[in-house]
Structure formats: C-alpha cells, structure tokens
Amino acid sequence: MAATDNRKVVEGVHKMTPSEAFVETCVANGVSEMFGIMGSAFMDAMDIFAPAGIRLIPVVHEQGAAHMADGYARVSGRHGVVIGQNGPGISNCVTGIAAAYWAHSPVVIVTPETGTMGMGLGGFQEANQLPMFQEFTKYQGHVCNPKRMAEFTGRVFDRAMSEMGPTQLNIPRDYFYGEIECEIPKPMRVDRGHGGEASLQAAVELLKTAKFPVILAGGGVVMGDAVEEAKQLAERLGAPVATGYLRNDAFPAKHPLWAGPLGYHGSKAAMKLIAQADVVIALGSRMGPFGTLPQHGMDYWPKAAKIIQIEADHTNLGLVKKIAVGINGDAKAVAAELSRRLADVTLGCDATKAARADTIATEKAAWEKELDGWTHERYPYSLDMIEEAKGERTPTGGSYLHPRQVLRELEKAMPARVMVSTDIGNINSVANSYLRFDEPRSFFAPMSFGNCGYALPTIIGAKCAAPDRPAIAYAGDGAWGMSMMEIMTAVRHDIPVTAVVFHNRQWGAEKKNQVDFYNRRFVAGELESESFSDIAKAMGAEGIVVDHIEDVGPALQKAIDMQMKEGKTCVIEIMCTRELGDPFRRDALSKPVRMLDKYKDYV
C-alpha cells in the first residue's frame, strides 16, 4: 500500500485551482505514485504533486510508463496512473493501455491535450486524443469545463475499479489554471454480490449430478481476491483446478488439486484432466479462444461438458463457449455461496473423490517426469542445432544452452513470494510450462494483446507497488530491445529488479512459422546483438552472462540477493540455442499457394 495512506483528504466546498482539484481528487483515491514523463501540458498540477504526497516516477519512454502503471495496479489491486505530454507523449502510451485493457487492470491514463483556443488549428503537438484510446478504455472522461475537474477526475477513478479496466481523463491544458469552487468527491466502490438466486440454484442442481467436475480459475479469481474461496469450493467437490491462459497465479501450485495452466505451452496434466470433465466451473474466466486452443497435439476441451460460467462482467457470459449456467457475480462471493449451498448436499462426485485425487496426482507426476526429461525441443519442433553442428562457442567460450533446461533451472531457483513478468516470444511462451506460484498477484503477461516490450517496465511497476517481494522479468532478445532502456528508470529511481534475457539471436516465434510454412526461407528474423550484460552495466545496473547450465540457478540467486539486500538491478544474459518450440499461431496460418509464375518455387 501507499506510504501516504494517512494523508488528509480535503472535505467540503472550497475555493481552489483546477490543478488543486485534480491533485486532491487523486489523493482521495489513494494515489501515491504516477508514471510518465514531465511536460508543460500538466506542469501546474505537477508542481504540487510532492506536497500532496504523490511521487512522479519519470520513465524513458511513455509506453514503459503505461506498462509500469499496469504492473502497479495488478500487484496492489489499486489504481495505476500514467500521465504525459499532450500529442506524442500520450500517443506513445496506446500499446501499454491496450495491454492493460486485456489484463483488466484499473489503470487511469491522464491525457492533457491542446488548449481550447488552439484546437483545430494544427498547433504544436495537437492530436485528437479520445479516439486513439476508445477501443482500449472502459470509460473516457473529457473535462469540458475547469469547474468540473474534480467531478471527472473522481469518475475515471471510480469507473476504472467498477469496470475493471483502463479509463482516460482528457484535460485541455488551459483548464488546469484559474479559480474554481468545488467539493472533492469521495471514491465510490461497487459491492458485488453472489449472483441471482435462479442461476445459483441451477448451478447447484448441475453439480449434484456431476461425476468429474473441474474448475477453471481465471483472472477474476486473482482480481477478486478469491483464491481461498476457490480452494474451499475445489476441496468440497474434490475437483482439479486448471488455471486460465497466463493466469498461473490463480491457484496455489502447492495445493494437491492444482493441475496447472491451460493454453499455449500449458500443462498436459491440466489438459488431460479437463478433457474428462462432465461439468466445468469457469470461475472468473471468459474462456478466451487462445487459451483453449489444442496444444501438445491434444484437442482437450471437453465438447460435451456442461459449463457453469461465473463472471462479474455479464457481457462475457456465453461469449466464447456455450454455457449451461451463467452467474453474473463476484468470483469470491459466488464461490463462497456455492460452497455454502453444497456443504450438506450429497453430490454424485463425492463417492469418487479418492479415485479422482489419485488421477490428479498421477497426471501431475507424469507431466513433471516429462518436463524433467524434456531437455531440448523435439523434431519437428526444433530448428537444427546450428551452434552444436558447427561446434560454435559463445563469445565467452561457453556453450549455447537449451531453453527448456534453462527454464527448469530457473524454476528451481525461484525465491519465495516471487513476482514474474514475461514478454511475448518463443522462449517466454515455453516458460508457461514452468512458472508456478503460491499466492495471487504474482504473474504478469501481456495477455491476448501479445505486445513486445512488456515484461521489464511491468515488473518495475510491480516492484514499486510491492518493494518487499522479489521481482523478475523474462524477455527474449527481440522484445528486450524494445524495453531495455527502462533499466535506467530502475537504476535512477531505486526500484531494483532482475531481468532474465534469453539471447538466441532471432525472432523465434515468427521464425518457427517460416520453418513450418515457408520451407525455412528466413527473412528478417536474425538478431545479432552486442552483449546485453555489458549494455546493462553501461546503464548503471549489474550484468551476468550465463553459458553453462550449472550456472543458471546460482546466477538467479545472486541477482535476487543483489536486488533484495543491496537494492541493485541486475540483467542476466543467458546464451541460448536457436531451438524453437511449438508454433505460435498454428490456428492462423496455412501453407501458402502462389499464383504468379515468378513465385512458383516459393510454395
């Protein structure tokens, strides 16, 4: 929580400037940090951030600021706030806000814009700033009069929490000045309930006859602080719990009913178990299409299973999958209410609890054994071992390491209460099989927006919100090139994090498509780079190069010690082979057909 939670909130009607109204409304909503780059458009408000107890954390690029606000919100459960200069500063944030939208993060983006007397004249840094965020915000507030500054500011904070997604506050830059009379609105928070009586009873009746129920725990479990309630429901049913795609922290991995994540490079155990379900309880999950695609050669989704979907957003009910029962309610409240109603009811699955527990344990053990032996990618999923075939050595004389071996060693070395962010990319996607957590608000990924440059700034924001927890970012060398400059932000502002960079000198995910669909005609996929460890050192961080498998775990432990004990940021550069995992978009590609003779050989 913020260090300034005891700040006094202004009450009653007062004369003040619009800047003061904006800042005081932020204080009323508990804002203690903002991320962005200073600018003249909001300088009058920025001038009073510090005495109000608000720390503006300057970044290197505004996309990073939006990701930091996202990470901050996802860890704290409170607002993450990003602000920047009108025009190019604000447009730089679009990608980060889009990622926050698909993560359902309560991020508030403050967008000062061209002054009212210059609008439409093509002035300096003028842009129409509402349309560019329209698709990726739950609500857009435009301050149409300086007297309404506090009103609109309060509303965007309220709506970010009630709608669980980004909101935008658009302010003409001349509206920060003057004198107004206003009252600072108190925050309003929606108290969500456990759904309607008819839908709850229908769910109970369906569960009475279920033989093999399975729970799919989604982001709503994390955001709704519903992990304990999910555990109670799972234990009552004896149901295995699969987590949604990139929601690995929605159920504790140490729990015997945990089965692992579904979706791309997920857990075979989770897939084999949910395939047996006759009833699936989708708890806080929209069952997004990318998270239920066939994987590992298995079309595992149970076509005949009855689905009970529990969603706080009623528009997600039945949106992706046909459902038998839809409950519009809070994941925490609904899970608790179902457990209460099922407590003294005889269920069809009661008699088979012990057998189901054995099945769960057997499938999990088989998957762990497979992962232990899965040291490198198998044909046809592996690109030729170019380095090994040539006897090539790393620049420091070591060996290029197999990504799966690296990920397993990193998993073993993970500290308690760790937070991990992953970027998009081949090795990061394979990491989905190896990342396990025992508490919520621990895992962050760009979700279905899938943008590069996400992991590092997001983990910086997460660390800012939870400085007592170890913070690690995973990134491939391609994505790292889009975000590594934020190492300077971590160093400059004493927000120590650890970054693991998988240096395999390629755009791996897309290169795999060229292997599978384009007869290995590689175009624009090579990424020969200088030492990322040395670059990190030049930015003021520590750097470690790893090219021996036995050094992976110790390197992570050393970096975490530096982070937690010495307050130092460290980049671990791991030299990896060019192995490629399962294709990233097999659902979206097919073998090309060339129509023109000049391209006839390219089929």
Side-chain angles (χ1 to χ4, degrees):
M1 296 296 289
T4 47
D5 284 342
N6 294 325
R7 291 172 294 177
K8 183 179 180 181
V9 177
V10 173
E11 296 183 356
V13 178
H14 293 270
K15 285 185 178 180
M16 62 184 75
T17 68
S19 288
E20 291 168 342
F22 166 72
V23 170
E24 289 298 332
T25 308
C26 289
V27 171
N29 282 274
V31 175
S32 54
E33 285 85 16
M34 291 188 188
F35 303 91
I37 295 179
M38 65 179 296
S40 60
F42 63 99
M43 194 162 284
D44 191 63
M46 186 177 69
D47 184 54
I48 56 174
F49 282 177
I54 297 173
R55 177 190 182 197
L56 177 63
I57 300 174
V59 300
V60 179
H61 190 276
E62 288 92 351
Q63 179 179 329
H67 286 319
M68 289 177 201
D70 183 5
Y72 185 96
R74 292 177 71 175
V75 171
S76 67
R78 301 187 292 121
H79 299 96
V81 184
V82 55
I83 193 168
Q85 178 70 3
N86 60 266
I90 294 308
S91 63
N92 281 345
C93 294
V94 172
T95 294
I97 295 300
Y101 177 84
W102 287 108
H104 307 287
S105 293
V107 171
V108 173
I109 178 167
V110 182
T111 61
E113 72 169 1
T114 300
T116 55
M117 295 305 293
M119 290 180 181
L121 301 180
F124 184 62
Q125 297 181 326
E126 181 181 359
N128 192 352
Q129 297 178 171
L130 290 169
M132 68 176 75
F133 291 99
Q134 184 174 1
E135 185 177 351
F136 302 120
T137 49
K138 294 288 189 176
Y139 172 76
Q140 294 176 294
H142 174 72
V143 179
C144 54
N145 187 295
K147 295 179 181 178
R148 300 182 69 183
M149 178 71 83
E151 172 195 343
F152 278 108
T153 303
R155 188 169 297 136
V156 297
F157 280 100
D158 290 343
R159 293 289 290 272
M161 296 300 291
S162 64
E163 301 289 335
M164 288 310 295
T167 58
Q168 179 184 6
L169 178 64
N170 199 61
I171 310 169
R173 57 186 295 163
D174 52 319
Y175 282 4
F176 283 100
Y177 300 91
E179 184 181 276
I180 61 173
E181 189 174 86
C182 74
E183 183 174 6
I184 304 302
K186 294 181 179 180
M188 291 189 296
R189 298 292 178 262
V190 175
D191 185 11
R192 293 187 174 91
H194 55 54
E197 178 62 30
S199 57
L200 281 168
Q201 194 54 39
V204 169
E205 293 302 318
L206 193 54
L207 289 169
K208 282 182 180 179
T209 59
K211 302 297 184 185
F212 202 105
V214 176
I215 294 175
L216 172 56
V221 174
V222 177
M223 292 178 284
D225 296 318
V227 170
E228 287 302 315
E229 288 72 17
K231 284 167 57 178
Q232 292 168 14
L233 181 60
E235 289 164 1
R236 171 63 190 94
L237 296 169
V241 180
T243 55
Y245 178 56
L246 299 178
R247 297 295 189 181
N248 302 38
D249 57 347
F251 201 77
K254 290 180 180 177
H255 197 285
L257 294 174
W258 171 84
L262 295 181
Y264 188 48
H265 282 293
S267 161
K268 280 190 182 181
M271 295 171 192
K272 289 181 178 180
L273 288 165
I274 203 169
Q276 301 177 54
D278 56 351
V279 175
V280 174
I281 305 172
L283 183 60
S285 173
R286 66 186 179 93
M287 297 173 286
F290 197 67
T292 55
L293 284 176
Q295 187 68 194
H296 302 305
M298 293 185 290
D299 188 2
Y300 56 84
W301 189 261
K303 305 297 189 296
K306 301 290 186 182
I307 299 175
I308 300 169
Q309 187 179 11
I310 298 158
E311 259 285 351
D313 182 352
H314 69 93
T315 64
N316 281 335
L317 291 172
L319 178 65
V320 182
K321 302 286 187 186
K322 181 181 178 181
I323 63 175
V325 180
I327 302 176
N328 180 207
D330 173 69
K332 183 184 182 81
V334 175
E337 180 64 14
L338 285 176
S339 294
R340 186 187 69 80
R341 294 184 181 218
L342 295 170
D344 300 319
V345 176
T346 300
L347 305 177
C349 60
D350 285 344
T352 55
K353 258 189 181 182
R356 197 159 49 256
D358 288 342
T359 300
I360 295 168
T362 298
E363 292 293 356
K364 287 167 62 175
W367 177 230
E368 291 304 310
K369 183 177 180 181
E370 183 173 354
L371 285 178
D372 284 337
W374 198 347
T375 58
H376 59 275
E377 296 298 341
R378 305 158 181 160
Y379 181 83
Y381 300 124
S382 176
L383 187 60
D384 293 337
M385 304 300 173
I386 299 172
E387 294 83 9
E388 291 184 1
K390 294 181 178 179
E392 186 179 348
R393 310 298 291 178
T394 69
T396 56
S399 302
Y400 288 98
L401 308 180
H402 300 298
R404 284 190 175 272
Q405 286 182 301
V406 170
L407 291 168
R408 196 61 156 169
E409 293 302 311
L410 289 170
E411 175 200 339
K412 293 175 184 176
M414 284 290 168
R417 305 201 65 223
V418 69
M419 302 182 292
V420 178
S421 64
T422 57
D423 229 295
I424 196 69
N426 190 266
I427 297 177
N428 288 283
S429 296
V430 176
N432 194 33
S433 297
Y434 300 90
L435 290 169
R436 297 100 188 274
F437 303 94
D438 290 309
E439 67 178 281
R441 303 189 185 276
S442 297
F443 183 45
F444 321 106
M447 311 309 294
S448 52
F449 197 62
N451 67 286
C452 289
Y454 172 90
L456 175 62
T458 299
I459 207 66
I460 292 173
K463 181 70 174 182
C464 190
D468 60 318
R469 297 183 63 184
I472 303 172
Y474 280 9
D477 43 10
W480 184 248
M482 295 188 184
S483 60
M484 63 180 174
M485 64 280 193
E486 297 301 346
I487 287 290
M488 289 189 285
T489 300
V491 171
R492 287 168 176 166
H493 304 293
D494 297 317
I495 310 171
V497 297
T498 298
V500 178
V501 182
F502 303 106
H503 192 167
N504 62 358
R505 296 148 289 140
Q506 64 187 358
W507 286 107
E510 297 304 336
K511 199 169 183 179
K512 188 62 176 71
N513 292 323
Q514 292 174 332
V515 171
D516 285 353
F517 299 100
Y518 296 94
N519 199 27
R520 298 181 181 241
R521 292 189 295 275
F522 300 128
V523 180
E526 307 304 320
L527 292 173
E528 297 296 337
S529 303
E530 297 298 322
S531 168
F532 295 121
S533 172
D534 287 346
I535 295 171
K537 292 175 182 177
M539 289 189 285
E542 301 294 323
I544 302 173
V545 177
V546 176
D547 52 12
H548 292 83
I549 193 65
E550 64 270 18
D551 294 335
V552 173
L556 183 61
Q557 292 168 351
K558 180 179 179 181
I560 293 298
D561 282 344
M562 285 192 286
Q563 179 190 146
M564 303 304 295
K565 297 177 182 178
E566 302 175 45
K568 291 182 178 180
T569 290
C570 182
V571 174
I572 304 172
E573 180 181 13
I574 299 184
M575 310 305 292
C576 293
T577 68
R578 285 173 165 159
E579 293 172 72
L580 299 173
D582 223 10
F584 188 60
R585 292 305 308 272
R586 188 174 288 281
D587 64 311
L589 286 167
S590 59
K591 289 284 186 182
V593 177
R594 303 297 178 204
M595 306 303 293
L596 299 178
D597 287 344
K598 66 187 291 187
Y599 301 121
K600 60 183 172 60
D601 293 330
Y602 289 84
V603 294

